[in-house]
Amino acid sequence: AQTVTQSQPEMSVQEAETVTLSCTYDTSENNYYLFWYKQPPSRQMILVIRQEAYKQQNATENRFSVNFQKAAKSFSLKISDSQLGDTAMYFCAFMKHYNNAGNMLTFGGGTRLMVKP
Amino acid sequence: GAVVSQHPSRVICKSGTSVKIECRSLDFQATTMFWYRQFPKQSLMLMATSNEGSKATYEQGVEKDKFLINHASLTLSTLTVTSAHPEDSSFYICSARDPRDNQPQHFGDGTRLSIL
């Protein structure tokens, strides 16, 4: 079974600054997918960024980037130029593989991020 | 726009009532849907995997007689919380994979269930 751990229950950052959220996971799989989801107060689940384990290059989506260290089983999220709208819960998630029917996601415990003006 | 619709968004009812939550895939067929439960300030915990035309697969510790899942069509899964009690109060979220895109799952907007 897979486990996902987020060691930072809460974090805060000043607007326009950079913050890094940590995530570690445990799996015996060699190929898998990792994700960061954002859950704002509206409780919607929004996919922020994905990383395929077979890719060495770290994924980037605008102000969001990851530091994927496969050997260390670490998958951190960096948010640059933080905005007030980034205030939300952030969940790291693991998935073994894609299939058309869908595959289960294993979520970490979450990190509550507060962006301060 | 939303590809997974969940209804109702909010339910308040008395203890002992059974509550049905619907999860619909819009414009695509979903042979599998997932039901999650989220307590305040906690993570999403998978309750069960709903399979069209067959029995749902429940995660360890989830009472299948308490949380009835029906996936009678390729676009609809329902979760019925039977004889609900205050400890069943929670946020319930469904999800499904749209094979037309590369998102692992699309999530409904959730149902906040409050049992008095």
Side-chain angles (χ1 to χ4, degrees):
Chain A
Q2 287 67 231
T3 59
V4 180
T5 303
Q6 292 177 248
S7 59
Q8 305 150 314
E10 293 187 1
M11 292 192 73
S12 63
V13 63
Q14 291 296 130
E15 194 176 8
E17 294 190 347
T18 296
V19 64
T20 298
L21 309 184
S22 301
C23 173
T24 58
Y25 59 94
D26 189 26
T27 184
S28 58
E29 304 286 332
N30 188 46
N31 293 318
Y32 48 86
Y33 297 82
L34 296 163
F35 308 90
W36 279 97
Y37 278 88
K38 171 184 177 181
Q39 188 181 43
S42 65
R43 306 295 288 268
Q44 279 185 301
M45 292 292 288
I46 301 166
L47 180 63
V48 174
I49 199 166
R50 88 181 71 235
Q51 176 77 44
E52 294 89 340
Y54 62 86
K55 289 186 178 178
Q56 291 186 335
Q57 186 172 8
N58 289 323
T60 299
E61 288 286 342
N62 301 312
R63 298 183 295 107
F64 299 88
S65 61
V66 299
N67 183 0
F68 173 50
Q69 301 291 326
K70 190 174 183 180
K73 295 181 180 173
S74 170
F75 182 60
S76 61
L77 174 70
K78 184 171 81 172
I79 305 175
S80 304
D81 186 24
S82 297
Q83 301 175 359
L84 296 178
D86 295 334
T87 293
M89 281 288 288
Y90 286 83
F91 294 102
C92 179
F94 173 101
M95 186 175 76
K96 274 197 246 185
H97 55 80
Y98 274 84
N99 61 53
N100 281 339
N103 209 341
M104 65 174 283
L105 287 164
T106 301
F107 288 93
T111 296
R112 183 174 301 277
L113 177 66
M114 173 76 71
V115 180
K116 298 180 178 179
Chain B
V3 297
V4 174
S5 173
Q6 190 170 340
H7 180 80
S9 58
R10 183 87 162 97
V11 180
I12 303 173
C13 57
K14 293 182 179 179
S15 184
T17 307
S18 291
V19 178
K20 181 185 285 188
I21 303 170
E22 294 186 346
C23 182
R24 295 182 184 274
S25 58
L26 308 179
D27 299 328
F28 72 96
Q29 294 181 336
T31 56
T32 302
M33 291 185 176
F34 302 91
W35 287 98
Y36 296 87
R37 182 174 183 175
Q38 185 180 27
F39 289 109
K41 297 186 179 181
Q42 293 189 26
S43 188
L44 281 72
M45 299 300 295
L46 181 67
M47 298 175 64
T49 302
S50 173
N51 304 299
E52 187 271 333
S54 64
K55 290 182 180 180
T57 305
Y58 289 83
E59 295 300 302
Q60 192 172 9
V62 177
E63 299 175 61
K64 60 182 180 182
D65 295 331
K66 175 73 169 177
F67 299 99
L68 298 178
I69 291 173
N70 187 311
H71 195 150
S73 79
L74 286 169
T75 59
L76 174 64
S77 174
T78 60
L79 169 67
T80 301
V81 184
T82 61
S83 187
H85 291 285
E87 59 266 28
D88 299 322
S89 298
S90 188
F91 192 68
Y92 294 86
I93 309 176
C94 71
S95 69
R97 165 141 169 78
D98 184 345
R100 299 170 299 180
D101 65 36
N102 61 0
Q103 290 224 21
Q105 294 173 23
H106 288 275
F107 290 85
D109 287 341
T111 297
R112 183 180 300 281
L113 175 63
S114 299
I115 309 297
L116 305 177

